[in-house]
Amino acid sequence: VIGIYDGRGRLKHKARGSAYVGTTTDGKIPVKGVEYGRGYRWHNRANRSYREHLYVAVDRDGALALVNSISAEKLLAGLVPAEIFATAHIEALKAQAVTARGEIFSKLAHRHFEHPFHLCSEQHCQVYAGAQSEQASTNRAVKNTRGLLAARPRNHSRDPIQIVDTRYSSSSGGFSEANEVVWG
């Protein structure tokens, strides 16, 4: 059973298995002590904020998992500036937005089957730093590319659209490599 309490310790809501919270405005939901970088030297906790809806669920280990239930475009607004410098040229930001969107959709239903979420906010999926990381420049790039994905050419119009798994790296060490060598 999950209990939601107010600042004075009064029980406001009780649920079994999961509980949802959200905002009906375009506001942000603050969350204190969000863990990030697990398994890396920068592992830490930070106060973050999120858009749309959050739900708390019991994960496979019996611990609580906080999940941001959010549209792809809102997710990209907090993801793109975590993956590229917001001061980059607008065309680079737009390319990053399209690439990140492709990664979102190509990874859905392929990861985290045992978790109460589809994608994590770490490098394993893509770094999502929440609403407080949003920048005007990256928001503009996301908005200007809304709905755009890289897709494989089709031989016939009746063929299904195949989204390209558009992978990228924030740090290549100054070297590049053929896709099949890195990703198989």
Side-chain angles (χ1 to χ4, degrees):
V1 174
I2 297 170
I4 298 176
Y5 296 83
D6 67 13
R8 294 191 175 122
R10 295 179 299 214
L11 181 66
K12 300 306 275 181
H13 181 71
K14 183 169 64 171
R16 185 173 304 279
S18 65
Y20 288 82
V21 295
T23 176
T24 56
T25 67
D26 197 31
K28 298 174 186 175
I29 305 166
V31 179
K32 294 181 181 179
V34 176
E35 185 176 29
Y36 66 91
R38 188 181 303 172
Y40 294 95
R41 64 178 169 74
W42 57 83
H43 178 230
N44 208 341
R45 292 185 178 272
N47 295 338
R48 294 196 170 168
S49 59
Y50 299 96
R51 295 198 183 275
E52 297 185 359
H53 302 279
L54 297 174
Y55 67 91
V56 180
V58 178
D59 70 11
R60 69 177 185 199
D61 299 321
L64 294 178
L66 181 66
V67 181
N68 190 190
S69 179
I70 189 169
S71 67
E73 300 304 310
K74 294 282 187 188
L75 175 67
L76 286 165
L79 188 153
V80 172
E83 293 283 7
I84 189 172
F85 291 109
T87 55
H89 190 278
I90 186 64
E91 295 303 320
L93 297 176
K94 287 165 55 177
Q96 180 66 40
V98 172
T99 301
R101 189 178 291 108
E103 277 216 54
I104 289 170
F105 288 104
S106 67
K107 288 177 179 170
L108 285 175
H110 294 282
R111 295 184 177 205
H112 298 291
F113 297 116
E114 69 280 9
H115 297 287
F117 50 83
H118 299 296
L119 302 169
C120 68
S121 61
E122 301 290 340
Q123 290 179 350
H124 173 255
C125 290
Q126 289 185 90
V127 177
Y128 171 58
Q132 79 287 338
S133 71
E134 294 175 12
Q135 301 290 321
S137 59
T138 53
N139 283 352
R140 186 170 40 259
V142 170
K143 182 179 178 184
N144 289 345
T145 62
R146 182 178 178 84
L148 293 180
L149 291 162
R152 299 190 188 289
R154 297 188 295 173
N155 293 324
H156 303 284
S157 60
R158 66 183 179 279
D159 290 345
I161 295 173
Q162 294 180 331
I163 298 171
V164 175
D165 185 359
T166 49
R167 300 190 183 194
Y168 58 87
S169 172
S170 63
S171 176
S172 66
F175 297 94
S176 62
E177 183 57 87
N179 183 61
E180 58 275 5
V181 172
V182 177
W183 304 109

